[in-house]
Amino acid sequence: MLNVIIVDDEEFARSSLYFLLQENCENVHICGIAKSVDEARNLLLKYDVDLIFLDIAMPGKNGFELIPDARANNSQVVFTTAFDQYALKAIKASALDYLLKPIDIDELKETVEKASKFIVFAGYEQDRNERLKNLSLSLTEKTEIKKLSLPNSQGTTLVGTEEIIHIEAASNYSVFHLEKREKITVSRVLKEYEELLPDSQFVRIHKSSIINLNFLKEFNFKNGLEVLLKNGEKIAVSRRRVSDFMEKVKSYTGNNSDK
């Protein structure tokens, strides 16, 4: 059973999420509902909270200001928001999950199931703290995301974007090929990382491949367009992505030559 609190300044949002959880998630116990960060802090002091459904844009203190309290309480965070693009990228990188309003029932069920799995997983407290710490840093720096938290069979691994050589799609999974590390397989689709990673450095060259241009050694047209990466791997560029690839390479090499 997951102990849950809902934090949102809008009455309709609070009541609708409460109803959806009550009707569709049998393993959820709603400990309390808060309409501000301060009220949520009181609930965290009173209850052993596993999961926080947290709105971002609230008057007074926004949802991000609750992150340190969530870390101290070892609580996982799911953002419920329609916030700006940068925040969504940071949330994808570090939070357990996010739900866009209006909340879809099936997505809510998946999120609760994901939370349950994390909580029973050995070492989950440390994993959660690492994700939330990374989120706080990302939002404070206000720059492109420098690190990703990758949940995998061993727990959660924090990976710098500069370590990523390329990412390979494998059905509904993404396989990260890393510099000086073993491959890491993550149960998220490639499109999520395509949207998340800085497009000045990463380019999708095929439906099943994203490469880091910093590891591009050469490309040639011997058998269609093919790239050779610095780790020796060769990957074909699909015909419909050739133009985009060439533009990205031109832009990337031009920007780096100015430095």
Side-chain angles (χ1 to χ4, degrees):
M1 185 67 69
L2 295 178
N3 287 332
V4 169
I5 64 171
I6 298 169
V7 186
D8 200 306
D9 65 305
E10 297 179 1
E11 183 178 355
F12 175 77
R14 294 193 302 269
S15 59
S16 61
L17 180 53
Y18 178 89
F19 174 78
L20 288 174
L21 288 168
Q22 290 284 83
E23 292 295 313
N24 298 282
C25 304
E26 295 179 354
N27 63 328
V28 163
H29 172 244
I30 301 173
C31 300
I33 300 176
K35 56 180 179 287
S36 68
V37 168
D38 290 335
E39 288 186 9
R41 285 172 175 159
N42 290 331
L43 291 175
L44 289 175
L45 291 173
K46 187 175 181 180
Y47 300 105
D48 183 13
V49 177
D50 297 307
L51 185 61
I52 305 169
F53 286 94
L54 179 60
D55 184 28
I56 294 176
M58 294 184 288
K61 298 181 179 71
N62 67 41
F64 294 128
E65 295 182 60
L66 192 64
I67 293 296
D69 303 88
R71 288 175 56 196
N73 197 68
N74 290 326
S75 301
Q76 296 196 60
V77 172
V78 172
F79 286 97
T80 57
T81 182
F83 212 58
D84 65 44
Q85 185 178 11
Y86 177 82
L88 287 180
K89 286 186 175 183
I91 292 164
K92 281 185 178 183
S94 305
L96 173 70
D97 209 346
Y98 73 96
L99 296 169
L100 288 175
K101 298 175 181 178
I103 294 172
D104 178 82
I105 294 175
D106 291 331
E107 290 182 0
L108 178 62
K109 289 179 180 179
E110 289 176 8
T111 293
V112 170
E113 183 180 356
K114 184 188 298 184
S116 299
K117 290 178 179 178
F118 267 98
I119 286 171
V120 300
F121 197 90
Y124 74 94
E125 290 182 357
Q126 181 179 356
D127 293 339
R128 290 187 299 189
N129 285 341
E130 286 182 358
R131 287 197 309 278
L132 291 169
K133 180 179 179 181
N134 187 36
L135 174 59
S136 297
L137 290 173
S138 295
L139 294 168
T140 300
E141 291 172 357
K142 296 293 182 184
T143 58
E144 286 187 324
I145 287 172
K146 300 295 196 318
K147 292 186 177 181
L148 296 178
S149 297
L150 303 180
N152 54 82
S153 60
Q154 304 302 314
T156 298
T157 304
L158 209 60
V159 170
T161 54
E162 75 281 355
E163 300 177 66
I164 302 169
I165 300 172
H166 74 100
I167 313 171
E168 173 190 5
S171 186
N172 291 324
Y173 294 84
S174 296
V175 182
F176 282 74
H177 296 252
L178 305 169
E179 184 181 31
K180 299 177 183 178
R181 291 210 213 187
E182 295 292 324
K183 292 186 292 186
I184 296 176
T185 301
V186 180
S187 59
R188 287 187 176 183
V189 295
L190 199 63
K191 184 171 178 57
E192 288 196 36
Y193 295 106
E194 180 184 13
E195 295 173 351
L196 179 62
L197 291 164
D199 58 9
S200 59
Q201 184 178 351
F202 290 85
V203 57
R204 189 163 187 172
I205 62 171
H206 192 276
K207 66 179 181 180
S208 59
S209 297
I210 294 173
I211 66 167
N212 182 348
L213 290 172
N214 195 42
F215 288 95
L216 178 63
K217 184 175 181 179
E218 64 179 62
F219 56 90
N220 61 70
F221 291 88
K222 292 178 182 177
N223 299 302
L225 181 56
E226 184 179 68
V227 301
L228 174 64
L229 302 178
K230 291 179 181 179
N231 67 345
E233 294 192 58
K234 296 179 180 180
I235 305 173
V237 181
S238 67
R239 282 182 295 177
R240 73 184 190 90
R241 297 182 184 273
V242 168
S243 177
D244 182 52
F245 169 75
M246 297 302 294
E247 286 296 320
K248 289 284 181 68
V249 170
K250 181 180 178 181
S251 176
Y252 183 75
T253 54
N255 291 337
N256 280 279
S257 65
D258 294 337
K259 296 181 180 179

